[in-house]
Amino acid sequence: MSTEESWGPVEPAAPTGASVRRRTLRQASIALGTVAAAAVYLWHTDPHQPGQLLIPCPFKWATGLLCPLCGGTRMAYDLMHGDAVTAFHDNAVLLTLAGPAVAYAVGRWLVAGLAGRVYRPRLSARGNAVVLGIAAVWMVARNLVG
């Protein structure tokens, strides 16, 4: 008879506040370093110019259509260089809706993690439908308008 049969399944221990804080700081440090390195590279690489070493959109490559995220790299470049009007032109929905939503989720995650609590954002079925609906409408609109 195995140990699991005699004692039952082993439940994982709940994370302690200190371990959640350490994990949050480690993950935030890695993310910050990665974003900083990408920002330094992007600062010197103008995505508006052809021939730059940047990852192309696989959806646009395969279909020739703009996906809801197309223009995000150009938008980030323009924001870093203080050109909000051009950033808005590159991807208005990503700038006005997704940017604040991601900032809110990351902020909530950091506050909870540094307080020793685990934060896992959940999106309801209605929330998923809203996000996918906005993405679909934006994709169709920007491909029709050009």
Side-chain angles (χ1 to χ4, degrees), residues 59 63 65-69 93 133-145:
F59 185 82
T63 66
L65 299 172
L66 297 171
C67 80
L69 300 176
V93 169
I134 290 170
V137 168
W138 174 237
M139 187 174 101
V140 169
R142 73 189 308 205
N143 282 293
L144 288 177
V145 173

Side-chain angles (χ1 to χ4, degrees), residues 1-10:
M1 184 150 54
S2 73
T3 307
E4 188 172 302
E5 292 173 346
S6 63
W7 298 98
V10 178

Side-chain angles (χ1 to χ4, degrees), residues 2-114:
S2 73
T3 307
E4 188 172 302
E5 292 173 346
S6 63
W7 298 98
V10 178
E11 294 291 323
T16 64
S19 68
V20 171
R21 275 190 291 281
R22 280 192 304 275
R23 184 176 62 227
T24 300
L25 284 171
R26 183 177 59 249
Q27 290 172 344
S29 298
I30 291 168
L32 182 62
T34 303
V35 168
V40 166
Y41 178 75
L42 187 58
W43 178 267
H44 299 289
T45 307
D46 186 353
H48 296 284
Q49 302 300 320
Q52 301 296 333
L53 184 59
L54 294 167
I55 300 170
C57 175
F59 185 82
K60 186 174 181 186
W61 173 81
T63 66
L65 299 172
L66 297 171
C67 80
L69 300 176
C70 278
T73 303
R74 292 187 309 271
M75 181 192 75
Y77 175 86
D78 293 333
L79 286 175
M80 286 192 301
H81 288 84
D83 191 355
V85 173
T86 305
F88 185 82
H89 181 265
D90 289 333
N91 196 322
V93 169
L94 191 61
L95 180 62
T96 58
L97 297 179
V102 168
Y104 172 77
V106 169
R108 289 270 319 257
W109 170 72
L110 276 172
V111 168
L114 295 177

